[in-house]
């Protein structure tokens, strides 16, 4: 409802503040490394966070209590830190991306008792991408998922069908891609990376619609020639 803002910090904490006053209303410190992304549940009663410690954690907002590790706690089950999370537009399902380069969808709430070695909350893995996944997002109607990634002098954007995980289209770039945003009508997505250019693509087929610098760039103006004045 826009009343609160959730964010993660490099001191390993998850925090929530009131949007109008800035007053802190939630503090959680169960992560073991930087917290890099957050998402609210559909009703705002729960909050999830992803971290470089490879975990996706669930917290009850009213009590500030840690509820569950949504991802598997088995060593090696989650390879690399998690860097991005986005909630389904209607359901408490989460799209997650991280250092292993594989976008994954998880249910937010566990429906059976945890067993050692299980990854019960995992719903689906999507096609692997090059490098680290820096941003993920559901389409507004929940039918598609998009992700961007990068490592070294290479990056990608990939759009897949949410229902079965089938890849719909993909583009590669000679630079890392770090930012992603889908238009509210679901027809377009925008991305940006190391080259400083914002690119907008059609969600349907991946065709390039337009591109422009993320900041206005102009040639430096020549400085006026120096003058010498003598005053009597």
């Amino acid at each position: 409802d826009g009343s609160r803002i959730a964010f993660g910090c490099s001191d390993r904490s998850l925090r929530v503040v009131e949007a109008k006053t800035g007053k802190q209303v939630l503090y959680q410190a169960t992560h073991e490394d930087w917290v890099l992304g957050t998402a609210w549940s559909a009703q705002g009663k729960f909050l999830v966070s992803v971290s470089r410690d490879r975990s996706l954690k669930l917290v009850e907002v009213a009590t500030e209590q840690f509820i569950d590790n949504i991802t598997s706690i088995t060593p090696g089950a989650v390879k690399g830190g998690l860097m991005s999370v986005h909630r389904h537009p209607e359901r408490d399902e989460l799209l997650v991306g991280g250092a292993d380069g594989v976008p994954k969808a998880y249910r937010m709430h566990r429906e059976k008792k945890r067993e050692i070695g299980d990854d019960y909350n995992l719903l689906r893995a999507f096609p692997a991408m090059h490098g680290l996944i820096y941003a993920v997002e559901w389409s507004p109607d929940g039918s598609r998922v998009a992700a961007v990634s990068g490592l070294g002098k290479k990056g990608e954007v990939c759009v897949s069908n949410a229902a079965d995980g089938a890849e719909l289209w993909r583009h590669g770039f000679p630079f890392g891609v770090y930012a992603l945003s889908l238009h509210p009508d679901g027809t377009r997505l925008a991305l940006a990376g190391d080259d400083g250019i914002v690119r907008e693509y059609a969600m349907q087929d991946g065709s390039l619609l337009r591109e422009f610098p993320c900041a206005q760039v102009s040639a430096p103006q020549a400085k006026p020639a120096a003058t010498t004045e003598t005053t009597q």
Side-chain angles (χ1 to χ4, degrees):
D1 60 4
S3 65
R4 294 167 294 179
I5 302 169
F7 54 93
C9 302
S10 59
D11 66 356
R12 304 179 296 178
S13 69
L14 167 67
R15 301 170 187 255
V16 175
V17 298
E18 292 179 344
K20 289 184 177 181
T21 66
K23 177 184 176 182
Q24 182 171 291
V25 294
L26 182 146
Y27 175 89
Q28 249 290 332
T30 54
H31 281 291
E32 298 178 0
D33 209 326
W34 291 11
V35 181
L36 299 176
T38 65
W40 295 91
S41 67
Q43 302 300 321
K45 296 181 179 180
F46 296 91
L47 186 63
V48 298
S49 53
V50 292
S51 166
R52 296 198 309 188
D53 67 6
R54 307 183 183 188
S55 68
L56 171 61
K57 294 182 181 292
L58 177 67
V59 170
E60 185 177 45
V61 176
T63 63
E64 302 182 61
Q65 289 186 335
F66 166 72
I67 303 299
D68 192 20
N69 281 299
I70 298 173
T71 47
S72 173
I73 60 174
T74 302
V78 179
K79 298 177 174 62
L82 299 178
M83 305 171 67
S84 53
V85 59
H86 192 261
R87 197 202 76 235
H88 188 280
E90 298 176 351
R91 303 189 296 270
D92 282 343
E93 296 177 3
L94 305 163
L95 183 62
V96 176
D100 67 353
V102 180
K104 297 176 183 177
Y106 286 87
R107 60 171 59 88
M108 185 180 293
H109 303 284
R110 177 171 290 276
E111 298 173 354
K112 74 171 188 176
K113 184 179 179 180
R114 180 185 294 279
E115 297 179 7
I116 299 299
D118 77 355
D119 200 9
Y120 173 75
N121 287 336
L122 178 65
L123 295 171
R124 179 171 290 104
F126 295 94
M129 301 176 66
H130 173 80
L132 293 73
I133 296 176
Y134 286 95
V136 293
E137 195 165 333
W138 298 89
S139 64
D141 64 359
S143 65
R144 298 183 179 186
V145 299
V148 293
S149 68
L151 181 65
K153 295 183 178 181
K154 184 178 179 181
E156 291 184 322
V157 57
C158 184
V159 173
S160 302
N161 186 39
D164 59 11
E167 181 177 320
L168 300 176
W169 58 268
R170 174 189 304 239
H171 292 313
F173 307 94
F175 50 82
V177 185
Y178 309 121
L180 170 70
S181 182
L182 273 63
H183 193 277
D185 68 9
T187 63
R188 295 168 282 161
L189 68 79
L191 57 83
D194 273 331
D195 72 341
I197 302 297
V198 177
R199 291 174 173 83
E200 190 174 343
Y201 293 91
M203 282 290 289
Q204 181 66 26
D205 57 9
S207 57
L208 180 64
L209 300 176
R210 62 172 178 157
E211 57 183 32
F212 53 90
C214 63
Q216 185 175 356
V217 178
S218 59
Q221 296 181 352
K223 295 182 178 179
T227 59
T228 301
E229 296 181 356
T230 301
T231 303
Q232 290 183 334

